[in-house]
Amino acid sequence: MTTDDESTREEPLILHCFADYGTESEVLNDFGNVIRVGIDPKDTNESTPIKADAHIEDKEWDFPIKDDVRFDLGVFHPVCSRWAATTSISGNPDEHEDMIPSARILAEKYCDHYIIENVPRAPLKNPVVLNGRMFGMPIEYKRAFETSFKVPQPPRERRFLTTDGPSDKAETSSFYFSERSREWWAAVKNYPPGPYPKSHLAKNAIPAPFIYYLVRQWLMVYEDEQGVSEGRVDYSDYDERMDRKRKSESNRKLDEF
């Protein structure tokens, strides 16, 4: 049931950058209106694609968003080639640009809150690190997230839920993405398979459970700032209180005998 306040409340505005395919917008669209920026943006979901380069550091400012526009949340995926394990093995990291400062510039200029994603070895500020093990996924897929709001670090050790049941070993890795079909990768990362290539789903798409976890933390801050949570009752210990009440009632009935 929707209350009058909920029906008239303005939807959050979300900026999604470095996102040609914008797989993560499949999740973000559920929580606001998404403007998606990429060098070659594909029309793959309900977000509004804009063709532009979000790597604006040391370049003339040509970002196509007006100065007076303010986003409630910004989600940035600067290219990770400089810090990727494959680059350190078979390439020269210095040949790849550091796009993280560009993400921070855009976040500060346009966004009330932000998420910057990259590989764990990237120079992010106090990142939370998420991996498939935390969410029962059959892949490792570690990713780090710098955020402007507090995000609790989940426990890092948990068995994978694989086809054969709980296991200490992942079923496969994005390094060996060809071992599984596009549909398998889409199912694991919780995205529709149709609009997206298998290599993107396996290697680049952030698992939807990661995005839901981060957005949930942001929503708590956003709703506090918007006054949505004003007067909200704390039910965090409700089950515990009900258990105590039931035990107390049971003991009282025993006293009657």
Side-chain angles (χ1 to χ4, degrees):
M1 181 176 180
T2 301
T3 66
D4 290 340
D5 287 344
E6 289 173 336
S7 62
T8 58
R9 189 182 306 142
E10 187 174 344
E11 277 196 305
L13 188 59
I14 301 174
L15 176 64
H16 189 191
C17 286
F18 302 95
D20 283 350
Y21 284 103
T23 322
E24 300 76 15
S25 286
E26 298 280 358
V27 175
L28 298 174
N29 284 328
D30 291 337
F31 300 98
N33 295 314
V34 181
I35 305 298
R36 180 165 52 86
V37 177
I39 295 177
D40 184 21
K42 310 295 192 296
D43 189 11
T44 48
N45 50 59
E46 293 181 2
S47 60
T48 302
I50 295 179
K51 183 179 178 64
D53 188 357
H55 180 39
I56 48 83
E57 193 181 26
D58 298 328
K59 298 177 182 178
E60 291 185 9
W61 190 276
D62 58 357
F63 198 65
I65 305 293
K66 294 180 179 179
D67 289 347
D68 59 351
V69 174
R70 195 73 183 172
F71 293 86
D72 298 290
L73 177 67
V75 179
F76 300 85
H77 304 279
V79 178
C80 66
S81 302
R82 186 178 179 92
W83 301 281
T86 51
T87 302
S88 61
I89 294 171
S90 59
N92 182 1
D94 292 336
E95 293 179 354
H96 300 273
E97 293 184 282
D98 178 1
M99 300 185 183
I100 293 175
S102 288
R104 291 196 186 110
I105 290 172
L106 293 176
E108 181 177 347
K109 182 174 178 61
Y110 291 105
C111 305
D112 290 340
H113 291 287
Y114 69 84
I115 300 167
I116 301 176
E117 173 272 334
N118 220 281
V119 294
R121 68 176 67 187
L124 298 174
K125 297 177 180 177
N126 301 315
V128 60
V129 178
L130 305 180
N131 64 57
R133 188 182 297 275
M134 297 171 184
F135 299 90
M137 300 167 62
I139 56 174
E140 183 69 39
Y141 208 81
K142 289 183 179 179
R143 284 300 182 271
F145 300 87
E146 175 184 324
T147 61
S148 61
F149 48 92
K150 182 177 176 58
V151 177
Q153 175 67 61
R156 297 179 183 234
E157 293 303 321
R158 181 176 166 186
R159 303 185 80 189
F160 289 111
L161 185 59
T162 70
T163 308
D164 297 321
S167 172
D168 292 328
K169 296 181 179 179
E171 286 192 20
T172 189
S173 163
S174 56
F175 289 115
Y176 302 100
F177 71 95
S178 59
E179 292 185 339
R180 297 288 189 273
S181 68
R182 176 177 66 173
E183 288 72 19
W184 187 90
W185 282 105
V188 166
K189 292 192 174 182
N190 289 10
Y191 291 118
Y196 307 108
K198 179 171 69 171
S199 60
H200 174 76
L201 285 167
K203 295 182 177 181
N204 303 118
I206 305 305
F210 293 14
I211 303 299
Y212 278 114
Y213 178 71
L214 295 166
V215 167
R216 187 164 68 249
Q217 309 306 320
W218 163 67
L219 281 171
M220 288 191 289
V221 175
Y222 171 77
E223 291 179 357
D224 280 344
E225 293 175 346
Q226 297 295 312
V228 176
S229 60
E230 187 174 349
R232 180 179 293 160
V233 179
D234 182 6
Y235 287 104
S236 58
D237 63 344
Y238 179 79
D239 290 340
E240 183 181 347
R241 286 188 283 113
M242 290 300 101
D243 285 341
R244 289 199 301 267
K245 182 177 180 180
R246 281 190 289 268
K247 290 177 182 178
S248 176
E249 291 291 330
S250 297
N251 290 334
R252 190 181 69 176
K253 290 179 180 179
L254 288 174
D255 290 340
E256 295 176 357
F257 294 95

